[in-house]
Amino acid sequence: MELFHISAECYPVAKVGGLADVVGALPKYQNQLGHNAKVVVPGYDNKFTNENAFEKVHHGQLRLGSFIFSYSVLREKTNKLGFELYLIAIPDLFDRPNVYSYEDDTERFTAFQIAFLNWLTETGQKPDLIHCHDHHTGLIPFMVSHCYNYQNLKATPTVLTIHNGQYQGWFGFDKLSYIPDFNRLMLGFIEWNGIINPLASAIKCAWKITTVSPSYLAYFSYDANGLENLLRYERPKSVGILNGIDTEVWNPATDPMLEFHYKLKDFKAGKAKNKKFLCEQFNLDPSKPLFTFIGRLVGEKGADLLPQICSVALNNNPREINIFILGSGDPGVEGALQSLQNFYHGNYNAYIGYNEKLAHAVYAGADFLLMPSRVEPCGLNQMYALRYGTVPIVRRTGGLKDTVLDIGDGGFGICHDNTSVFDVNHSVTRGIDLFNDTAKFDSVRKTAMQIDHSWDKAAQNYITLYESITH
Ligand code: ADP
């Protein structure tokens, strides 16, 4: 089967969070199953674009309302990522370093989607399927079905995967002219609650909807940032498919970002060396249990509670534990986490920013990974932690519920029900007890490392889903 994944992110091309990891891995595993999955992302002005070789395969000029823009389609020459990678370069809109958070994101991602469809139609390509990821590509199912310019793609099935339904890409009807001409009777397919909503549009128009875990699909039907009724209505065409992890990238035995490699048989010594290395860098004591957090410092991740979680844990267990935080996001939370360094010197540290290499070092060197998320569509961090022998401490929600079983139930993680300082600290106490019971701690970590969250099964689940609409 020949298909395109279209997305704002793809690891290692451009990454903000888990979306990139999925789009960088799923196509590779689908290709290993004998398919031809290609990836299309915007051409950002970043390290990957500047350090790799591309050939221009198409060039065109288009209109976005009254704004005329030109675009080029660039193909990465080597296919070294395990799939054909195409960048759509649009001067003035995408030749910038960051993926999101510009005030013209509506213009940027609408232009990106139009350029993609224009490239397909002008070059006469008819893929078996187009797989859209999140709201940045959410107008494609509508445009394929209803825009006059793309009638030759009308029969092409589209799939939408919702990685994060909190963000929907809303914009006003003053920008309706950005969308190429379509039958105005179909206007209802792009709006929700009186505003243009690309995610809602994709939920209405895509042939199939997937969420990145089964529990998130159930959760989404009663908390979807305004889309609950729509989700419930479209439930028959929706399915939750748990994400996998790229076990070639995330492998403690070969990970080039680690100082010390380790396997199941020598995990104890390997983790101890990585922990010592990490603790030396951040002035922490490797003899004490190391609790960590990696992620976006936003409410969804429960990050607003982190400063209090840390201070209560450090006060309750004076000089008994270490905490290390890696993240960026809400400036208020960043500041509060940084200022804790003044109070708990030697037991606490934080790196505010995005650092891929450090994230790998933390998964390898930590004893515990905290995930007090309010909303977690799937969550990859807990799966990376398990693979690296780090015990996840999670709130039972979304994908965390689907992937982490509590040690009290014979599992390999520590779970609580509420995103509250109290619940997380109760789990920290259980973590300290586990750490002090060396035999049990080792056996839990060994079990964790052997859990198979590779993409093989999930990649096949997607193919089965595609086949249900392409045959
Ligand atoms: P989300 O996509 O909601 O942010 P996921 O758990 O699905 O959450 O994926 C997060 C990904 O981003 C993981 O690969 C994690 O290691 C990475 N990550 C998040 N924040 C940082 C950071 N500050 N530095 C390095 N990696 C980070």
Side-chain angles (χ1 to χ4, degrees), residues 15 17-18 21 295-296 301 326-327 353-355 359 363 379-381 384:
K15 173 169 170 178
D21 290 352
R296 293 180 295 119
K301 302 285 179 193
L326 164 61
Y354 187 91
N355 187 326
Y363 290 119
L380 296 170
N381 297 17
Y384 298 145

Side-chain angles (χ1 to χ4, degrees), residues 112-148:
F112 169 58
Q113 295 173 80
I114 294 171
F116 168 65
L117 292 179
N118 221 65
W119 167 49
L120 293 192
T121 38
E122 281 194 7
T123 52
Q125 296 182 74
K126 286 197 174 178
D128 296 314
L129 184 134
I130 300 174
H131 190 152
C132 305
H133 296 268
D134 274 352
H135 75 80
H136 322 97
T137 58
L139 292 171
I140 287 174
F142 172 82
M143 293 198 285
V144 163
S145 302
H146 303 299
C147 287
Y148 300 125

